[in-house]
Amino acid sequence: MQLDTLRDLLRQHGAQTCHEERVLRAWCQVRSLDNRHSASENFLPLSLRGALPEINAQLEGLARVVSEHPGEDGSARLLVGLADGQTVESVLLPRDGVCVSTQVGCAVGCVFCMTGKDGLLRQVGSAEIVAQVVLARRRRPVKKVVFMGMGEPAHNLDNVLEAIDFLGTLGGIGHKNLVFSTVGDPRVFERLGQGPVKPALALSLHTTRADLRAELLPRAPRMTPEELVAAGEAYARATGYPIQYQWTLIDGVNDSEEELAGIVRLLSGKYALMNMIPYNSVDALPYRRPAPEKARAIARWLHERRILTKLRNSAGQDIDGGCGQLRARVKIDRHAAARARQEAAQSPEGSGAGLNSSS
């Protein structure tokens, strides 16, 4: 579902631009259609008022919360069901933020991430992206939206940019509080600054070695770390927002002295912030989270060398917080339940129980 589809639906029922914006603003900001200047019944065309129940039903059907998993850190992971039965994940973040998904699955195939294990299943439409923000706003205030959930936003660029423009205007989110996260794609640097809303940019770096980056992100565009930082620096200077470099800290993989020296080499003097995020360990994958004291020492070492570094905990460490983990767990549970039902139906005990209960 695209936002343009919603606009077309409103126009079919007599909405002009002012009516359309009022309905969409009320939906996205979870507000009443009435405002201090006029009641909706005195402002909206009669034909549009009559269609509002149908329109609201369509909006409600865009996304729904399948399950909610609160974390001890104030976050909450939402498993979100879309209209076609597919699911994505959103995370309510501490300090009035929400992390949203832009794809069902992912084609990048980062070896340490669960999201891409099944590949890319489909794109998430711009209206479905905004609907995730609406779900979050029904639970708590949202002043920041980060596009860091399931999927690679650069691979769904039209839908993501449409959602960003909408959230930065009718959605009432400050432009620098809309954070576009990407592994790096030339199309991002070409198009991100062209729209009316210019979001902040987060670049997934993870390593300063091109060979290791190719191993960790096997289907990411072949931009070297040097090229990625150069493009990021140009965007930072053009927008006035520092680039947020994302570094998933994996024990024994990208936490060596060589890597730390490479970070200093690449980021010294840059308009940038390094987000060090200790890895969320997943039972199904061989990678592990470094010891807390090691992670703190790394952040401190970079700070001493004038690299602005924040050591961040991925929200929801205690609730399968790593991207794709909740969806994967639910999928595994469903398969296990279906297998158990099948085995029960095929067993003599299961067949006998069925016959006895019907006799």
Side-chain angles (χ1 to χ4, degrees):
M1 174 68 79
Q2 320 293 324
L3 288 166
D4 281 347
T5 308
L6 293 178
R7 295 181 189 277
D8 288 342
L9 177 63
L10 293 168
R11 291 166 190 160
Q12 289 170 17
H13 292 287
Q16 298 179 22
T17 300
C18 57
H19 309 128
E20 170 192 312
E21 291 188 351
R22 182 147 165 181
V23 171
L24 293 176
R25 183 181 290 110
W27 168 59
C28 183
Q29 298 193 25
V30 193
R31 293 183 177 180
S32 170
L33 274 169
D34 298 324
N35 62 33
R36 61 181 180 177
H37 300 295
S38 63
S40 59
E41 63 182 16
N42 298 327
F43 181 77
L44 299 179
L46 179 62
S47 58
L48 180 57
R49 296 204 305 271
L52 282 178
E54 173 196 346
I55 293 168
N56 287 332
Q58 290 206 32
L59 294 175
E60 289 292 322
L62 287 173
R64 62 186 178 83
V65 175
V66 176
S67 60
E68 182 170 350
H69 306 260
E72 294 179 356
D73 57 0
S75 67
R77 183 166 289 273
L78 307 180
L79 184 66
V80 177
L82 305 178
D84 64 351
Q86 294 288 356
T87 56
V88 295
E89 296 178 22
S90 302
V91 182
L92 308 180
L93 303 170
R95 297 179 293 279
D96 299 340
V98 62
C99 176
V100 299
S101 293
T102 58
Q103 295 182 303
V104 181
C106 183
V108 175
C110 299
V111 297
F112 51 83
C113 178
M114 288 296 293
T115 296
K117 291 304 174 185
D118 293 330
L120 175 62
L121 301 179
R122 77 164 174 87
Q123 307 288 12
V124 176
S126 55
E128 293 173 315
I129 295 172
V130 174
Q132 294 173 66
V133 179
V134 174
L135 290 179
R137 278 181 157 168
R138 288 175 179 167
R139 285 159 173 76
R140 60 176 73 173
V142 171
K143 299 177 182 177
K144 183 174 184 177
V145 179
V146 295
F147 299 81
M148 295 182 186
M150 294 172 59
E152 165 52 52
H155 293 172
N156 190 18
L157 200 51
D158 289 341
N159 279 302
V160 175
L161 292 181
E162 187 177 348
I164 284 173
D165 287 345
F166 183 94
L167 291 168
T169 51
L170 299 183
I173 306 288
H175 297 188
K176 67 179 180 180
N177 289 328
L178 295 162
V179 184
F180 185 106
S181 176
T182 177
V183 298
D185 189 305
R187 293 170 296 180
V188 170
F189 302 108
E190 291 169 7
R191 294 187 54 189
L192 213 57
Q194 294 178 358
V197 177
K198 297 172 178 56
L201 183 58
L203 296 176
S204 295
L205 191 57
H206 302 312
T207 179
T208 62
R209 293 169 42 199
D211 60 333
L212 180 57
R213 182 173 168 82
E215 291 179 23
L216 295 177
L217 290 68
R219 292 188 290 279
R222 286 293 167 257
M223 295 183 72
T224 66
E226 289 78 8
E227 291 169 336
L228 197 62
V229 170
E233 182 69 5
Y235 186 80
R237 298 298 177 182
T239 59
Y241 310 148
I243 297 299
Q244 301 176 37
Y245 290 99
Q246 310 287 83
W247 190 286
T248 299
L249 195 61
I250 306 172
D251 191 41
V253 175
N254 60 355
D255 55 356
S256 66
E257 292 182 3
E258 176 191 0
E259 285 281 29
L260 299 184
I263 292 173
V264 174
R265 172 177 55 82
L266 283 179
L267 298 189
S268 288
K270 299 297 191 295
Y271 191 27
L273 164 67
M274 171 58 78
N275 285 321
M276 280 281 175
I277 309 169
Y279 179 63
N280 244 343
S281 296
V282 183
D283 290 340
L285 298 176
Y287 306 100
R288 290 294 170 259
R289 182 182 181 86
E293 56 272 17
K294 183 176 185 179
R296 288 193 292 269
I298 286 172
R300 185 166 56 249
W301 190 91
L302 290 171
H303 254 303
E304 291 170 352
R305 284 150 185 82
R306 304 179 67 83
I307 303 299
L308 180 58
T309 304
K310 290 191 176 181
L311 184 63
R312 299 188 182 274
N313 276 326
S314 179
Q317 294 286 337
D318 54 325
I319 50 168
D320 283 347
C323 191
Q325 284 182 248
L326 178 58
R327 186 176 187 273
R329 187 180 69 186
V330 170
K331 182 179 177 182
I332 290 169
D333 290 346
R334 286 176 179 170
H335 285 174
R339 189 163 56 248
R341 288 193 299 270
Q342 183 179 22
E343 291 172 353
Q346 292 173 348
S347 68
E349 293 82 359
S351 300
L355 289 170
N356 289 334
S357 63
S358 61
S359 59

